[in-house]
Amino acid sequence: MAKEDKSVWVVFFEGIKIYALNIHKFFLYMAFPVLGQLIGLFLIFGVTYWYTANFQDLTVRFPALNDISTMLLCIILSVIPGLLIWTKAFWDYLVSYVALNSMTDGYLNTGRVYDFRAHNSVVTKKTFSFIALWLLFSIFTIIAVIPIFWIIGFIFFIYFILIFQVFTFENGLSPIGYFRRSLQLVKGKFARTFLLMTLLVVFTYYLLTSGLGVIFDAFNLTEKCAKIFENWAYSLPVEHLEKFGVTPAIIGQEVVKQIIFFIVIGFTLPIRSICWTLWYNNLASDSIDYENREAKPKKKSVSKKNVAKTFKIEKRGIDPEIIRRARLEDDEY
């Protein structure tokens, strides 16, 4: 049992190590998916707030705007840029759930994090299955948040926690098959999988979030940002909520907290993906029913070093183009 627990800790610290050694590349990769969503939302709500606040002056200057149809058209047109940015960033964020797994596997075989576009292609080659997978996961999440399903939903969440790793590395499965395969891998290793999830949640969701919050407070950024959102909150109909303690000042502070939380969770997604990929490797290597395993020739032994050089193509179905680019310098592609 001690050996099993140690394996979880080894996976956890190895994941942090890989992330730390390549933090600049992971930050670059996650920059648009994370910040793009924030910028898109700021544009959507910022332009709408500005338009509402200056509506009277605008109608005086441009009388044609004093029409409900024209006003709605202007609002729709004004939010389109922000909506497009948010949509693209949100899609890239979803894609990163798979691409980061591929990057991890590439790093384990080459010692480098390279060619983001090639790793994104893991999704683009199975776009329909990817969308269906997220749709099923969303339905499961909606059901799981219903209070009477909290316990059973949490249990199945642990069993389904490797669905994106299965999607990345195993071919020939249906969207439901990804869930079934994850359940098969975690079955019998529930406690250790739960422990790894707990470590990741405490580290990324709590410790790092609290750390960034302390930095914001130290530079007085929390108060300044909260003031901006407080002014925006005054435009909202919150009068009826004040009796519950919900004031524009409270709203401003909570928005800042949520932004800090979102930034940390977004930029630390690579840590969680790395750890879950390592954990998937650990569980899949012990599974006698591994889906895409090919029988190895009996007369020819392959050392671990040689397996690394072949990148386990026969096992994982990695695109040979990704492998070729791994041997090039960063500026060669």
Side-chain angles (χ1 to χ4, degrees):
M1 186 66 183
K3 183 177 180 180
E4 293 179 349
D5 291 339
K6 180 180 179 181
S7 177
V8 172
W9 286 96
V10 168
V11 167
F12 176 67
F13 285 113
E14 184 178 353
I16 295 176
K17 177 183 176 181
I18 294 174
Y19 178 78
L21 292 175
N22 301 276
I23 190 170
H24 58 296
K25 293 186 177 181
F26 286 124
F27 260 69
L28 176 64
Y29 178 72
M30 297 303 302
F32 179 73
V34 176
L35 300 181
Q37 291 187 66
L38 292 177
I39 292 173
L41 291 176
F42 289 159
L43 287 176
I44 292 172
F45 290 103
V47 171
T48 303
Y49 171 72
W50 178 87
Y51 185 81
T52 304
N54 296 275
F55 179 73
Q56 296 296 334
D57 294 336
L58 291 174
T59 54
V60 173
R61 189 173 301 180
F62 306 100
L65 294 177
N66 195 17
D67 177 78
I68 186 64
S69 299
T70 305
M71 180 183 69
L72 291 176
L73 179 62
C74 290
I75 293 176
I76 292 174
L77 292 176
S78 64
V79 302
I80 285 179
L83 184 61
L84 291 176
I85 293 174
W86 180 86
T87 302
K88 180 60 169 65
F90 180 69
W91 171 254
D92 287 353
Y93 190 79
L94 297 183
V95 169
S96 66
Y97 272 78
V98 170
L100 288 167
N101 302 329
S102 181
M103 289 180 198
T104 302
D105 194 70
Y107 176 84
L108 294 175
N109 288 293
T110 67
R112 299 179 58 233
V113 175
Y114 55 90
D115 199 355
F116 299 153
R117 286 179 296 178
H119 292 290
N120 289 343
S121 68
V122 177
V123 171
T124 58
K125 291 179 178 179
K126 299 188 289 184
T127 303
F128 177 78
S129 294
F130 181 68
I131 294 175
L133 176 62
W134 268 109
L135 180 61
L136 290 175
F137 183 71
S138 299
I139 295 174
F140 163 75
T141 303
I142 293 173
I143 296 175
V145 297
I146 300 175
I148 60 174
F149 295 120
W150 280 358
I151 296 178
I152 190 172
F154 176 77
I155 293 174
F156 275 102
F157 178 80
I158 303 297
Y159 280 116
F160 296 153
I161 207 162
L162 297 178
I163 55 175
F164 295 107
Q165 283 68 35
V166 174
F167 176 89
T168 305
F169 300 124
E170 303 192 23
N171 300 314
L173 296 177
S174 66
I176 294 178
Y178 299 129
F179 288 85
R180 186 183 298 114
R181 174 60 177 161
S182 176
L183 189 151
Q184 179 188 26
L185 290 170
V186 176
K187 186 178 180 180
K189 286 86 175 178
F190 183 92
R192 288 186 289 157
T193 304
F194 172 75
L195 174 60
L196 180 57
M197 186 197 72
T198 302
L199 292 174
L200 291 172
V201 168
V202 172
F203 182 65
T204 60
Y205 282 69
Y206 179 72
L207 293 180
L208 293 183
T209 301
S210 300
L212 184 59
V214 171
I215 294 175
F216 264 62
D217 292 339
F219 288 93
N220 201 28
L221 294 176
T222 303
E223 184 176 350
K224 292 180 180 179
C225 293
K227 194 65 179 178
I228 296 175
F229 293 109
E230 179 182 348
N231 294 332
W232 166 75
Y234 277 112
S235 65
L236 302 176
V238 297
E239 295 83 4
H240 301 292
L241 298 176
E242 291 184 354
K243 59 182 178 181
F244 300 105
V246 180
T247 64
I250 296 296
I251 293 176
Q253 294 173 6
E254 289 302 317
V255 169
V256 173
K257 290 180 181 179
Q258 290 304 311
I259 291 175
I260 293 174
F261 180 80
F262 180 77
I263 290 175
V264 174
I265 298 309
F267 278 106
T268 58
L269 176 61
I271 296 179
R272 297 187 293 279
S273 295
I274 293 168
C275 288
W276 289 123
T277 299
L278 295 173
W279 189 239
Y280 165 86
N281 289 341
N282 184 46
L283 299 185
S285 63
D286 294 334
S287 175
I288 59 175
D289 297 321
Y290 185 63
E291 292 289 341
N292 294 319
R293 185 184 300 276
E294 293 185 3
K296 297 182 180 179
K298 296 181 179 180
K299 296 181 180 180
K300 186 178 180 181
S301 61
V302 181
S303 65
K304 291 184 178 180
K305 184 176 181 181
N306 290 332
V307 172
K309 288 184 177 180
T310 61
F311 296 85
K312 301 180 182 178
I313 300 176
E314 73 284 351
K315 179 179 179 181
R316 298 183 180 278
I318 298 177
D319 190 344
E321 178 63 13
I322 297 179
I323 301 168
R324 184 188 69 79
R325 296 185 184 188
R327 300 189 177 99
L328 302 177
E329 296 297 330
D330 290 337
D331 58 356
E332 290 185 37
Y333 55 86

